[in-house]
């Protein structure tokens, strides 16, 4: 398999994952669940951000923004971040969240979103 093939596969995965996230946000809005201020995390420390959205994991490590943006909220510890807050940019969403992590930490995005909706 060529690098070009892998790039096309990754792009297709990203498009599908973005669709899932937009559908999730639409369902949250339909249910009247408002976005909240999101905080980044560095170990047990929490840093403010200028983002709003909904957390995807109970531990606050992942979130989705109002337009379906996917955020990884884990940051490196920083004294400046404690005072100024953390700057987080959207990431390309995966269809398999936590791919390559320890057993039990990886979950399909569709399943994670379904579980999150069940909690709300």
């Amino acid at each position: 398999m060529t690098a070009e093939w892998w790039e096309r596969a990754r792009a297709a995965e990203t498009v599908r994952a973005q669709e899932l996230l937009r559908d999730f946000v639409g369902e949250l809005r339909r249910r009247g669940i408002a976005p909240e201020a999101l905080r980044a995390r560095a170990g047990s420390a929490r840093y403010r951000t200028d983002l709003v959205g909904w957390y995807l994991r109970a531990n606050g490590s992942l979130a989705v923004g109002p337009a379906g943006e996917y955020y990884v909220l884990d940051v490196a510890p920083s004294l400046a971040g404690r005072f100024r807050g953390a700057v987080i940019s959207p990431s390309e969403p995966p269809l398999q969240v936590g791919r390559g992590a320890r057993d039990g930490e990886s979950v399909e995005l569709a399943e994670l979103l379904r579980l999150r909706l069940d909690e709300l």
Side-chain angles (χ1 to χ4, degrees), residues 6 8 14 24 34-35 37 40 44 48-50 53 63 79 85 94 102-104 111 113 120:
W6 284 109
R8 280 196 313 270
T14 297
F24 176 76
S44 62
R48 63 185 158 70
T49 71
D50 62 351
L79 185 58
R102 296 179 299 199
D103 288 345
E111 178 68 6
L113 299 176
L120 300 173

Side-chain angles (χ1 to χ4, degrees), residues 59-99:
N59 68 4
S61 62
L62 299 174
V64 61
E69 312 93 336
Y70 179 77
Y71 295 107
V72 177
L73 297 174
D74 287 328
V75 297
S78 159
L79 185 58
R82 302 272 311 181
F83 294 104
R84 290 187 224 136
V87 177
I88 307 286
S89 297
S91 300
E92 289 186 358
L95 283 176
Q96 186 72 31
V97 177
R99 183 180 293 144

Side-chain angles (χ1 to χ4, degrees), residues 16-38:
R16 178 65 185 128
Q18 288 171 330
E19 290 170 359
L20 291 171
L21 290 169
R22 282 192 298 275
D23 290 348
F24 176 76
V25 168
E27 179 61 19
L28 292 172
R29 291 185 187 282
R30 189 187 70 71
R31 293 183 184 192
I33 301 171
E36 61 183 287
L38 298 174

